[in-house]
Amino acid sequence: MIWFFLTSGLFLGFSLGANDAANVFGTAVGSRMVRFKVAAAIASLFVLLGAVMEGSGTTETLGRLGAVNAIAGSFTVALAAGLTVAWMNRARLLVSTTQAIVGAIIGWNLFTRSTTDIGVLSQIVATWFLSPLLAALLAILLYLLFKRILGKVRIHMLRLDAYTRTGLIIVGALGSYSLGANNIANVMGVFVPASPFKDLPLLGSANLHGTQQLFLLGALAIAAGIFTRSQRMMYAVGSEIFKLTPILALIVVLAQALVLFIFASSGIKNGLLAVGLPPIPLVPVSSSQAIVGAIFGIGIIKGMKGVNFKMLGRIASGWVMTPLFAALLSFIALFFVQNVFEQEVVHHAIVPSAAARPTAVAAPADTLSIPDTIQTITTIPQLEELQ
Amino acid sequence: MLFKKNKQIEVQIDEFLDLVIKGGLIFKQAVRYYLQGRLEEFENHLKELNDTEEKGDDLRREIESKLYLRTLIPESRGDVLGLMESSDKVLNQTTENLLQFSVESPVIPEELHPVFLDLADYAVNASEGMVKAIRAYFRDLASVRDNVNQVLFYRKESNKSAEKFKRAVFRSELRLSHKIHLRYFAYHIELIAEEAEDVCDRLSIATIKRYI
């Protein structure tokens, strides 16, 4: 049965590969600096490395991901998120996989009558606005910096081409590595307890653990998504919102990487606190939203000429529709899985109904001792790591 | 590896532009030899210019195929190839002019030699300015404009010299066929500067596109 349940994780991985590879290599491929096949090969290799080498280290993530506490529930939530992303991609919209998962989880919360922490949810939703804005601002600043530097340093066009190409490949490879490391746990993590794989001895005393084999399988699904379905999305990111030159492509990818770093850096948070400024919440953000924000920032500084507002509007509407659609799909699918296929989608012993706990919503999140509330608080931000 | 390949093409582009400069200098010197009646030296220079032009053609084709095959500078490739081709035309025009001297042996009255030399000098200066502008396009966008302005200046001067030469020719007592023959030579030398100006027009647009 586990093999059947695994398919939804693999499908989510496939959808994630098709959608998210465009964030790391879209501008490079769209600006024709890196060929699609090369980008797909590098992205797949580094997703695999990230997944196998660092994915298994995210045990904390896996533990917190357990809020969806029955494997049939996990299967359904992953399926709903995967279908949402695949459907949006079919409409050629770059969506946030994070939004899809958050929506699907909320669908699960609603279906199982579990509490959704509004504070955490609003923090996540705030980043959906903040990260594209910050990415746009950073892209503008980087643009001005690059313009100043390139005006002073006389580099031959061909050498600049080589530097830009190398920069795009390095940033793309690093992005792919973190994509694999951060997201594989969310794609395959729920299946770890039921993993059918045994440790596999490698050369010497090294072992490929069962979890790593599971993650390797998930990473292969992501790679399949990258190779077969991401090309259209890469061109959409790289050329359809605003036609990017190679240097602009590099600026956009750098701005995106900086946004992801800022939202994950405790150093910056502590620094802001030290000077009495409000800290940036340490919430992993959507790379899809960051990349679109950065491209829009470049469009602004270039005088809005050439910005494809139609495409931008479609993407923005996709961001609104994704969590709603995923939540609805998850809710409906859970209903069928529970009532038609008679699968347990929630362990009620762990997650009592909200009706039985009238004080749970009103009480401060950090003082609650009810397991599902704690799980909900911790689960949603972790799921945000999908991006 | 990528840096090495790019460096190699960078060197080849510089070599190609060196050939355009060399072609102009050979032309200038060869016209002087022709007017001085040193025909053997003139013919040697013509041969040298032919070799230079052939080398230029080969080098241009090699650069073009490398840029395409290695998908380098995707955004500017079309512009660069256009610039290479049109600057090669300037070199071809220079060679063609000298060949016409050898084939048709125009008789240029001695009193018109200074104006004719001025015309040749201005045309070659325009092509040299064009090469400087192209080099700036690759390395230093801010100076493209200065070099383009120089080309425009020399093109205008070559027009003036050509006009002066033609007026002098048509007011002389020469036979009409001789006058038309000389006009033909002035016109073709003037074309070198005109071609250089066309390259610079193309270059100005390409430069705007390169600003990030």
Side-chain angles (χ1 to χ4, degrees):
Chain A
M1 197 62 175
I2 177 66
W3 289 103
F4 172 75
F5 285 130
L6 266 177
T7 55
S8 88
L10 294 178
F11 177 64
L12 178 60
F14 181 84
S15 301
L16 194 134
N19 184 73
D20 287 32
N23 299 333
V24 284
F25 270 113
T27 55
V29 172
S31 61
R32 292 177 292 156
M33 285 297 271
V34 181
R35 287 182 194 155
F36 171 72
K37 280 183 184 168
V38 175
I42 294 171
S44 300
L45 175 69
F46 280 87
V47 161
L48 274 171
L49 288 174
V52 177
M53 289 166 69
E54 277 195 45
S56 56
T58 55
T59 47
E60 200 186 347
T61 309
L62 299 182
R64 284 187 274 187
L65 201 64
V68 181
N69 54 18
I71 194 149
S74 307
F75 165 84
T76 316
V77 165
L79 185 67
L83 281 172
T84 305
V85 174
W87 181 66
M88 292 288 181
N89 277 182
R90 204 176 162 75
R92 219 167 169 173
L93 292 176
L94 182 75
V95 292
S96 158
T97 318
T98 309
Q99 285 189 311
I101 283 288
V102 168
I105 289 281
I106 290 172
W108 183 86
N109 280 348
L110 292 172
F111 184 79
T112 59
R113 296 187 186 175
S114 304
T115 314
T116 300
D117 188 291
I118 299 300
V120 172
L121 185 64
S122 31
Q123 198 178 49
I124 292 169
V125 173
T127 66
W128 294 352
F129 293 94
L130 200 58
S131 73
L133 282 177
L134 190 62
L137 185 69
L138 283 171
I140 290 170
L141 292 175
L142 281 172
Y143 171 86
L144 295 172
L145 183 72
F146 268 68
K147 197 174 176 182
R148 199 179 178 88
I149 291 172
L150 291 175
K152 286 187 179 173
V153 184
R154 294 174 184 177
I155 307 171
H156 194 282
M157 180 201 275
L158 282 153
R159 207 168 305 176
L160 187 62
D161 177 80
Y163 292 149
T164 312
R165 213 172 277 255
T166 310
L168 284 166
I169 289 175
I170 291 172
V171 176
L174 290 175
S176 305
Y177 185 85
S178 40
L179 184 74
N182 291 330
N183 291 355
I184 195 67
N186 300 301
V187 170
M188 299 302 284
V190 287
F191 303 105
V192 168
S195 171
F197 297 106
K198 304 254 179 310
D199 287 3
L200 192 71
L202 294 174
L203 290 173
S205 58
N207 265 340
L208 190 64
H209 300 294
T211 308
Q212 285 179 310
Q213 291 172 54
L214 188 70
F215 288 172
L216 181 63
L217 189 67
L220 286 172
I222 297 177
I226 294 172
F227 266 102
T228 57
R229 304 290 296 174
S230 70
Q231 191 168 11
R232 280 194 336 158
M233 293 312 296
M234 285 194 187
Y235 282 110
V237 168
S239 59
E240 288 189 8
I241 303 169
F242 182 83
K243 193 153 172 49
L244 294 168
T245 63
I247 294 280
L248 294 180
L250 184 61
I251 290 173
V252 162
V253 180
L254 278 175
Q256 175 218 25
L258 279 172
V259 168
L260 299 186
F261 174 73
I262 287 169
F263 276 98
S265 167
S266 50
I268 292 177
K269 184 186 177 182
N270 294 338
L272 287 171
L273 280 171
V275 292
L277 289 169
I280 293 170
L282 295 189
V283 181
V285 290
S286 159
S287 55
S288 306
Q289 291 175 327
I291 203 98
V292 172
I295 295 173
F296 187 59
I298 293 292
I300 292 172
I301 194 81
K302 299 282 276 182
M304 303 297 272
K305 284 174 280 183
V307 176
N308 186 346
F309 284 101
K310 199 176 162 191
M311 181 73 178
L312 207 60
R314 285 182 64 211
I315 290 176
S317 64
W319 290 353
V320 176
M321 282 166 65
T322 302
L324 297 176
F325 188 79
L328 186 67
L329 193 63
S330 169
F331 191 94
I332 295 169
L334 285 164
F335 176 83
F336 277 97
V337 170
Q338 183 176 272
N339 299 307
V340 178
F341 299 105
E342 296 180 345
Q343 296 293 318
E344 189 185 32
V345 296
V346 59
H347 286 309
H348 284 288
I350 299 172
V351 186
S353 73
R357 299 172 283 104
T359 55
V361 178
D366 55 353
T367 61
L368 293 176
S369 58
I370 299 164
D372 73 323
T373 310
I374 294 168
Q375 283 171 345
T376 309
I377 293 163
T378 54
T379 300
I380 294 173
Q382 282 311 311
L383 284 167
E384 185 67 4
E385 284 178 13
L386 270 167
Q387 288 295 94
Chain B
M1 190 70 175
L2 178 71
F3 289 91
K4 202 178 165 187
K5 281 178 185 171
N6 282 28
K7 177 78 188 161
Q8 194 188 21
I9 300 173
E10 199 180 309
V11 170
Q12 284 182 320
I13 290 174
D14 276 336
E15 280 174 3
F16 171 78
L17 294 173
D18 289 345
L19 291 178
V20 179
I21 293 272
K22 189 182 168 188
L25 293 173
I26 294 172
F27 175 80
K28 233 161 53 168
Q29 191 56 37
V31 169
R32 277 179 171 74
Y33 283 144
Y34 181 84
L35 294 178
Q36 289 163 10
R38 294 158 71 177
L39 296 182
E40 198 184 328
E41 281 144 313
F42 167 80
E43 289 297 337
N44 287 340
H45 273 65
L46 173 61
K47 191 176 174 304
E48 198 181 343
L49 186 54
N50 268 325
D51 293 344
T52 305
E53 196 246 328
E54 273 172 28
K55 264 190 216 166
D57 282 342
D58 293 343
L59 206 48
R60 176 180 58 78
R61 283 191 201 103
E62 203 179 327
I63 293 164
E64 283 176 358
S65 63
K66 277 183 183 170
L67 285 179
Y68 261 109
L69 289 173
R70 294 174 190 171
T71 61
L72 299 174
I73 45 171
E75 282 295 306
S76 313
R77 193 165 49 218
D79 289 330
V80 170
L81 296 184
L83 286 171
M84 303 293 288
E85 274 166 22
S86 49
S87 49
D88 193 32
K89 274 186 191 167
V90 175
L91 183 57
N92 292 348
Q93 181 68 41
T94 312
T95 314
E96 184 62 31
N97 272 337
L98 211 55
L99 186 66
Q100 284 165 0
F101 275 89
S102 176
V103 174
E104 300 178 22
S105 305
V107 179
I108 300 168
E110 203 167 340
E111 65 273 17
L112 294 178
H113 283 188
V115 189
F116 197 78
L117 281 174
D118 278 352
L119 172 61
D121 284 352
Y122 287 135
V124 171
N125 285 349
S127 85
E128 284 174 356
M130 173 200 79
V131 169
K132 280 185 198 164
I134 295 175
R135 286 196 208 276
Y137 170 73
F138 284 111
R139 284 196 176 83
D140 178 20
L141 290 179
S143 11
V144 171
R145 197 187 165 95
D146 297 337
N147 291 303
V148 167
N149 283 334
Q150 265 189 25
V151 174
L152 296 183
F153 172 79
Y154 286 122
R155 197 269 299 154
K156 277 182 194 162
E157 290 303 309
S158 78
N159 287 160
K160 282 182 200 167
S161 295
E163 187 187 327
K164 198 172 165 185
F165 179 78
K166 285 185 267 186
R167 280 185 191 281
V169 165
F170 279 92
R171 280 170 193 169
S172 68
E173 297 301 317
L174 298 171
R175 277 178 290 116
L176 182 62
S177 59
H178 192 177
K179 287 176 184 173
I180 292 171
H181 193 207
L182 291 180
R183 183 188 68 177
Y184 173 84
F185 273 85
Y187 169 73
H188 279 91
I189 291 176
E190 210 183 343
L191 267 189
I192 297 175
E194 296 287 350
E195 296 266 13
E197 191 193 23
D198 288 348
V199 175
C200 287
D201 288 342
R202 190 188 268 258
L203 191 61
S204 301
I205 302 295
T207 305
I208 294 169
K209 281 161 73 180
R210 264 206 73 202
Y211 277 112
I212 68 162

